[in-house]
Amino acid sequence: EDIPGDWQGLYSEFRDLIEGLPRSPTTAQLELLLDELTGLRTNILNQLEIQVKSTKQRGNADYIER
């Protein structure tokens, strides 16, 4: 949707996390991956929230609906 941000970088980070997982991961490796993916998710949500807030603030404060 043309939202500004380093989406390619985030996608690369996601791919690095997934591709770094061995074919038969241990429970500990999966738990670590879950923590890393949760952090990535938080980063993505923060970027989207910043965009939504900046979009809402762009409204015309002088406009009064009749």
Side-chain angles (χ1 to χ4, degrees), residues 18-38:
I18 298 301
E19 290 171 2
L21 198 61
R23 187 178 280 278
S24 299
T26 65
T27 302
Q29 290 170 320
L30 290 173
E31 289 173 347
L32 179 60
L33 177 64
L34 176 61
D35 290 341
E36 292 170 336
L37 288 173
T38 301

Side-chain angles (χ1 to χ4, degrees), residues 1-5 7 46-61:
E1 294 185 27
D2 295 330
I3 297 174
W7 303 114
N46 287 338
Q47 288 191 28
L48 291 173
E49 283 182 27
I50 289 168
Q51 183 61 32
V52 167
K53 287 178 184 177
S54 70
T55 302
K56 286 183 180 180
Q57 292 176 355
R58 290 185 191 154
N60 186 352

Side-chain angles (χ1 to χ4, degrees), residues 1-25:
E1 294 185 27
D2 295 330
I3 297 174
D6 182 22
W7 303 114
Q8 189 62 39
L10 290 169
Y11 178 73
S12 294
E13 185 178 342
F14 169 76
R15 292 302 312 163
D16 290 343
L17 290 172
I18 298 301
E19 290 171 2
L21 198 61
R23 187 178 280 278
S24 299

